[in-house]
Amino acid sequence: MEKCEGIVIRQTSYRESDKIVRMYTREFGKIGVVARGAKKTKSRLAAVTQLFTNGYFTFFGGNGLGTLQQGEVIENFSSIQQDIFMTAYATYVCELLDKATEERQPNPYLYELTFQILRDINEGYDPQILTQIYEMKMLPVLGLYPTMDKCAICGETTGHFDFSTSSNGIICHRCFEKDRYRMHLPENVVKLLRLFFIFQLDRLGNIDVKPETKEWLQKAIDTYYDEYSGLYLKSRKFIREMDKWENMLKKDSDD
């Protein structure tokens, strides 16, 4: 019998009334368990196995899937559950975590980061910015280490900087001519990319970012992920489409 604190990051139906639940836990990293009877509304496991739920779990382990015995809800992030936009971003966070990690490789920092991101989305902070922070923080988990504290070509730490996927990081104005395919980004966008990658989430505070700045940030992050990560996630595609719908609705309301 093993005990852990975890977050439900994926659930799938299994047989008539069971679920297979994927959790990211503080103690064990990512694990999978069978929750017998969890699809039944009166099941004692129904609430604790809902997507995004943070809870305490007791399970029988094994080489493959464990068997969930009991659970206690700590936080169900109810606001996320009730809002389609929050749900979409939280789903992407969980899918990215699932695809980026291997089974039973504990990473308490990553657990805390994921919890903080979901908590802040649930509390109404900008889900797009929070997701962009998470994407930058997940790069080392994917084995990707862009140079963000100095020029990736010459090592200078001062000057004007652009972002380059081919040079794997930021490059200073002295090296612009060496990389014709760099992304020419507004200065504040480069600064935010550096902050998102380097600083701890609790040091960033509540960041108020203009829509056009968020678009630049997303373009840079998406370009880097497409170039290096090898991940093509359905949830990411969905929120990109959703952002387009939201922008169209805003334009219509402004007109």
Side-chain angles (χ1 to χ4, degrees):
M1 189 85 75
E2 297 182 282
K3 297 181 179 180
C4 64
E5 179 183 336
I7 300 166
V8 177
I9 60 173
R10 183 157 59 95
Q11 58 171 347
T12 54
S13 295
Y14 180 62
R15 296 176 178 168
E16 185 176 348
S17 59
D18 304 340
K19 291 181 184 177
I20 294 176
V21 180
R22 188 76 62 188
M23 300 183 291
Y24 197 84
T25 71
R26 185 191 301 276
E27 294 82 0
F28 306 110
K30 186 171 68 177
I31 61 172
V33 295
V34 176
R36 303 198 185 282
K39 289 169 63 178
K40 298 178 180 179
T41 54
K42 294 184 179 180
S43 169
R44 58 189 174 83
L45 298 178
V48 79
T49 56
Q50 293 297 311
L51 189 61
F52 314 129
T53 298
N54 172 226
Y56 296 117
F57 301 90
T58 303
F59 64 98
F60 285 114
N63 293 328
L65 291 172
T67 302
L68 186 63
Q69 295 299 302
Q70 62 185 40
E72 176 187 348
V73 175
I74 301 172
E75 175 61 67
N76 63 4
F77 299 120
S78 58
S79 294
I80 292 177
Q81 304 280 2
Q82 298 167 15
D83 184 281
I84 186 173
F85 292 102
M86 289 185 183
T87 297
Y89 282 104
T91 299
Y92 174 51
V93 166
C94 290
E95 187 180 8
L96 179 55
L97 175 63
D98 188 20
K99 298 298 184 183
T101 55
E102 301 293 335
E103 296 278 339
R104 285 188 173 262
Q105 293 187 1
N107 186 334
Y109 164 76
L110 186 53
Y111 175 82
E112 287 295 336
L113 174 65
T114 304
F115 174 81
Q116 289 175 352
I117 291 289
L118 293 176
R119 179 198 62 197
D120 288 353
I121 291 175
N122 189 69
E123 291 179 357
Y125 294 101
D126 190 326
Q128 186 175 6
I129 286 295
L130 288 167
T131 303
Q132 289 170 346
I133 293 171
Y134 194 75
E135 287 176 307
M136 292 300 291
K137 296 294 187 191
M138 287 297 289
L139 291 177
V141 179
L142 291 163
L144 302 173
Y145 298 90
T147 301
M148 301 300 293
D149 59 342
K150 59 186 177 182
C151 177
I153 295 176
C154 72
E156 283 288 342
T157 58
T158 60
H160 301 293
F161 291 89
D162 280 348
F163 185 69
S164 169
T165 54
S166 58
S167 298
N168 194 27
I170 58 172
I171 60 173
C172 71
H173 65 277
R174 304 168 190 85
C175 300
F176 283 174
E177 63 181 23
K178 298 178 182 178
D179 189 343
R180 293 183 300 165
Y181 301 103
R182 70 187 188 279
M183 296 183 67
H184 182 57
L185 302 175
E187 186 175 352
N188 65 324
V189 173
V190 176
K191 287 181 178 179
L192 285 171
L193 287 172
R194 296 174 72 175
L195 285 173
F196 292 176
F197 185 72
I198 295 170
F199 282 85
Q200 298 298 318
L201 181 61
D202 54 7
R203 292 184 61 189
L204 291 174
N206 183 23
I207 301 174
D208 186 18
V209 179
K210 295 179 180 179
E212 57 267 28
T213 301
K214 289 192 285 187
E215 289 181 15
W216 277 112
L217 285 165
Q218 202 62 69
K219 182 179 180 181
I221 294 170
D222 284 353
T223 301
Y224 191 87
Y225 263 77
D226 290 344
E227 181 72 21
Y228 289 109
S229 74
L231 298 177
Y232 300 94
L233 307 182
K234 292 180 180 179
S235 55
R236 190 184 85 160
K237 182 179 179 181
F238 178 78
I239 61 175
R240 297 298 175 264
E241 292 297 324
M242 186 181 67
D243 289 339
K244 292 179 183 177
W245 303 336
E246 189 176 20
N247 291 334
M248 289 174 62
L249 289 172
K250 286 181 179 178
K251 288 180 180 178
D252 289 342
S253 62
D254 291 340
D255 294 341

